[in-house]
């Protein structure tokens, strides 16, 4: 997928004017955001689990080569085959080759962000394969010809009416307005597709080095049907997903669903340990795992390493005021929200995505709710610095920053200049108490008034409060 992140501002402006999208995004606040708060409050050891999760992820990342090799050994002993892919092109080629060797025509697929990252669907379709998404949200966005707008809820931006239209067009019959009827319709259609599929492709939430197991997590059971019914199962995931033990995986699983949707556990959590054995009735005859690097080892050795802890729960976007206003498509590539603002520049280059790290108020909520305590604002700041060093931001923004830096490096001059500015704004705005328009703050005053300051600067007020012990 070609990134369009440079158009973030235009896309976000369009999104802000879209009442349907605003209503859909508001549901995240009342829904998953509130549910996560309840789930965290109901579990006394929630914060301790987060600390344990950080330790597990950091330990696994510090010994990634060791655990990946251990995983490969176990996985191979259980009859699976591991393929190592350096980049997206290699990963796509491996999957295509496996599909061709299986003489596949139809492929079912459960949700995989790594598959999105490498543009797998479009590639397989361009080579004559029929690819069917089986996660309901992914199926909906596939019918719409769109990409997911959220890690956990790919179609959160859509209304029921729009989904009903899409289903009526794809399946025939009049549009259904009842959610249960729409789900039943998708289930009926997808059941047939599971039976037709020659290959099932899934992602993997975790890989367990101790047992050589792949862990998948869904709420619909579609990963199980995707991997279990066709003869060939191909899983694809990033190399950072490995954890040492089953116990470690459970620590992360206890946090994953709570952080994502407020559930104690997702409805389906499956540990896949090799293909079907001779005495087993169910399961694929062959199981292959594509392990993708695609820049992850570069991240491991650099200042963004903490980002590899991510367990793709989506909590950072559920709590981000920018995501909740602009929606996922504004980010212009696969990964939206604060985690996407860190990952996208890494994967597509900062020159193609520099607006994203700036699409943050730095309120810190993303870091506050991240189950593995990734310092997202700090990582976005690193990208801002890089963009500034390379001169990627527009001249006006760079001039503004340079001007601010000039004063900030000279505290007496800064205090003097801000005192003058505050005094002038206070004098001009005294009568109405606010400004409806300000020449250098049009972006602010276009949608709200700017309050007239009451006479003293922020620094002066701060000092006064500290002086009185407040
Ligand atoms: S950065 Fe943290 S909160 Fe965001 S998806 Fe990853 S684990 Fe979840």
């Amino acid at each position: 997928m070609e990134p369009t992140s440079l158009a973030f501002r235009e896309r976000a402006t369009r999104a802000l004017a879209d009442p349907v999208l605003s209503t859909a995004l508001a549901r995240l606040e009342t829904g998953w955001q509130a549910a996560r708060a309840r789930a965290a409050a109901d579990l006394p050891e929630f914060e301790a689990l987060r600390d344990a999760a950080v330790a597990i992820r950091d330990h696994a990342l510090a010994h990634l080569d060791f655990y990946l090799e251990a995983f490969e050994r176990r996985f191979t002993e259980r009859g699976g085959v591991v393929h190592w892919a350096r980049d997206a092109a290699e990963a796509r080629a491996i999957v295509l080759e496996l599909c061709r060797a299986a003489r596949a025509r139809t492929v079912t697929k459960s949700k995989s962000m790594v598959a999105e990252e490498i543009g797998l669907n479009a590639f397989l379709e361009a080579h004559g394969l029929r690819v069917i998404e089986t996660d309901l949200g992914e199926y909906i966005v596939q019918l719409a010809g769109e990409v997911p707008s959220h890690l956990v809820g790919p179609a959160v931006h859509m209304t029921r009416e729009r989904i009903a239209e899409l289903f009526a067009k794809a399946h025939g019959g009049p549009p259904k307005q009842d959610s249960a009827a729409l789900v039943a319709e998708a289930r009926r259609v997808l059941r047939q597709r599971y039976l037709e599929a020659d290959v099932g492709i899934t992602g993997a939430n975790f890989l367990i080095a101790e047992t050589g197991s792949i862990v998948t997590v869904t709420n619909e059971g579609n990963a199980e049907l995707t991997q279990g019914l066709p003869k060939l199962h191909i899983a694809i995931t990033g190399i950072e997903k490995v954890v040492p033990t089953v116990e470690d995986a459970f620590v992360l699983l206890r946090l994953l669903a709570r952080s994502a949707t407020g559930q104690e556990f997702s409805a389906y959590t499956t540990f896949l340990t090799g293909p079907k054995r001779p005495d087993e009735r169910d399961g694929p005859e062959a199981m292959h795992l594509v392990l993708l690097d695609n820049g992850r080892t570069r991240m491991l050795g650099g200042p963004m390493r903490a980002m590899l802890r991510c367990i793709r729960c989506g909590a950072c976007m559920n709590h981000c005021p920018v995501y909740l206003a602009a929606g996922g498509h504004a980010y212009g590539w696969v990964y939206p929200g604060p985690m996407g603002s860190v990952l996208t520049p890494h994967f597509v280059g900062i020159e193609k995505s520099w607006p994203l790290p700036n699409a943050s108020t730095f309120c810190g909520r993303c870091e506050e709710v991240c189950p593995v305590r990734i310092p997202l604002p700090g990582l976005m700041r690193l990208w801002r610095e890089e963009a500034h060093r390379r001169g990627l931001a527009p001249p006006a923004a760079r001039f503004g920053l340079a001007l601010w830096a000039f004063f900030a490096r000279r505290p007496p001059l800064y205090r003097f200049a801000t005192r003058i500015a505050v005094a002038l704004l206070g004098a001009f705005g005294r009568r109405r108490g606010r400004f409806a328009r300000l020449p250098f703050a049009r972006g602010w005053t276009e949608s709200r008034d700017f309050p007239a300051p009451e006479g003293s600067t922020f620094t002066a007020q701060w000092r006064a409060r500290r002086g009185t012990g407040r």
Side-chain angles (χ1 to χ4, degrees):
M1 177 184 168
E2 205 39 48
T4 54
S5 308
L6 291 179
F8 179 86
R9 193 188 173 102
E10 294 74 32
R11 284 163 166 259
T13 306
R14 272 204 303 278
L16 287 170
D18 181 345
V20 174
L21 181 64
S22 303
T23 310
L25 293 171
R27 284 200 298 263
L28 287 180
E29 266 183 284
T30 49
W32 288 345
Q33 204 183 100
R36 180 215 172 260
R38 277 195 300 275
D42 288 348
L43 188 71
E45 68 268 35
F46 189 75
E47 293 305 318
L49 272 179
R50 290 177 73 190
D51 293 336
V54 173
I56 290 165
R57 297 298 292 128
D58 283 349
H59 173 80
L61 292 171
H63 304 90
L64 196 58
D65 51 348
F66 173 81
Y67 286 115
L68 282 171
E69 282 177 13
F71 171 83
E72 185 182 24
R73 255 193 322 277
R74 298 275 177 277
F75 189 72
T76 310
E77 282 165 14
R78 305 287 180 148
V81 183
V82 172
H83 304 262
W84 301 88
R86 271 173 297 208
D87 55 25
E90 271 191 19
R92 289 191 298 256
I94 292 166
V95 175
L96 179 63
E97 193 47 45
L98 289 169
C99 290
R100 280 184 171 158
R103 298 181 184 282
R105 286 194 307 196
T106 302
V107 174
T108 43
K109 196 174 143 284
S110 74
K111 196 153 76 60
S112 156
M113 292 312 294
V114 166
E116 299 285 343
E117 183 184 313
I118 64 169
L120 186 61
N121 283 15
F123 180 78
L124 293 180
E125 283 165 358
H127 287 83
L129 286 148
R130 181 183 181 213
V131 183
I132 296 129
E133 293 287 351
T134 61
D135 172 273
L136 181 58
E138 290 275 352
Y139 180 63
I140 292 165
V141 293
Q142 187 183 33
L143 289 182
E146 295 180 1
V147 292
S149 67
H150 189 283
L151 289 189
V152 178
V156 281
H157 59 287
M158 283 204 199
T159 58
R160 196 175 49 216
E161 292 72 23
R162 169 94 175 107
I163 295 166
E165 273 170 32
L166 287 169
F167 277 21
K169 195 166 161 216
H171 310 147
K176 299 183 174 61
Q177 297 306 331
D178 172 43
S179 300
L182 288 169
V183 172
E185 184 173 319
R187 186 178 287 142
R188 178 177 53 75
V189 171
L190 287 174
R191 285 227 167 125
Q192 190 53 37
R193 303 290 175 265
Y194 289 123
L195 297 173
E196 291 163 3
D198 308 297
V199 175
I201 300 178
T202 70
N205 289 79
F206 304 109
L207 306 172
I208 304 177
E210 183 185 33
T211 57
S213 308
I214 294 171
V215 184
T216 61
V217 176
T218 70
N219 272 321
E220 298 163 20
N222 59 306
E224 289 69 18
L225 291 168
T226 299
Q227 78 85 28
L229 291 182
K231 287 184 179 163
L232 170 63
H233 171 213
I234 306 172
I236 177 160
T237 198
I239 53 171
E240 79 281 15
K241 292 291 176 67
V242 71
V243 294
T245 65
V246 173
E247 207 176 317
D248 294 331
F250 270 99
V251 171
L252 297 166
L253 286 166
R254 291 183 75 196
L255 286 167
L256 177 60
R258 286 182 167 89
S259 303
T261 54
Q263 292 166 279
E264 285 185 15
F265 233 71
S266 299
Y268 296 88
T269 300
T270 302
F271 290 64
L272 306 163
T273 312
K276 180 168 74 172
R277 288 181 258 293
D279 57 337
E280 289 176 342
R281 290 181 58 186
D282 301 317
E285 286 168 15
M287 185 182 280
H288 291 251
L289 172 67
V290 182
L291 278 171
L292 178 70
D293 185 330
N294 208 24
R296 286 163 171 81
T297 43
R298 197 162 26 94
M299 201 183 282
L300 189 68
M304 303 271 169
R305 180 187 181 123
M307 196 59 223
L308 291 169
R309 289 184 204 147
C310 178
I311 58 171
R312 308 290 194 260
C313 70
C316 53
M317 53 203 75
N318 294 346
H319 292 75
C320 173
V322 176
Y323 177 92
L324 291 173
H329 287 160
Y331 291 78
W333 201 59
V334 172
Y335 298 108
M339 58 86 76
S341 296
V342 177
L343 282 179
T344 305
H346 183 81
F347 286 127
V348 310
I350 187 69
E351 64 289 345
K352 290 187 183 169
S353 58
W354 63 263
L356 299 187
N358 294 288
S360 169
T361 62
F362 275 13
C363 64
R365 291 193 83 196
C366 50
E367 183 173 354
E368 243 169 59
V369 297
C370 174
V372 282
R373 303 193 194 282
I374 298 173
L376 291 155
L379 299 184
M380 281 186 262
R381 186 174 293 119
L382 291 179
W383 279 127
R384 285 188 186 185
E385 285 167 13
E386 181 63 23
H388 187 73
R389 256 196 303 278
R390 295 200 202 179
L392 296 172
R398 289 175 38 226
F399 173 74
L401 258 182
L403 192 67
W404 180 84
F406 174 83
F407 283 100
R409 285 200 197 101
R410 296 163 179 81
L413 187 61
Y414 180 88
R415 282 195 291 274
F416 176 72
T418 48
R419 263 205 312 273
I420 301 278
V422 163
L424 285 173
L425 285 171
F428 284 116
R430 188 169 302 133
R431 200 167 55 81
R432 299 183 67 194
R434 61 192 165 80
F435 294 92
R437 296 182 73 177
L438 269 180
F440 295 111
R442 270 209 344 259
W444 176 289
T445 51
E446 261 168 20
S447 52
R448 55 220 185 278
D449 289 344
F450 187 88
E454 284 181 6
S456 63
T457 63
F458 172 79
T459 321
Q461 288 180 41
W462 178 256
R463 283 190 167 168
R465 284 189 183 207
R466 285 180 65 186
T468 57
R470 290 166 70 192

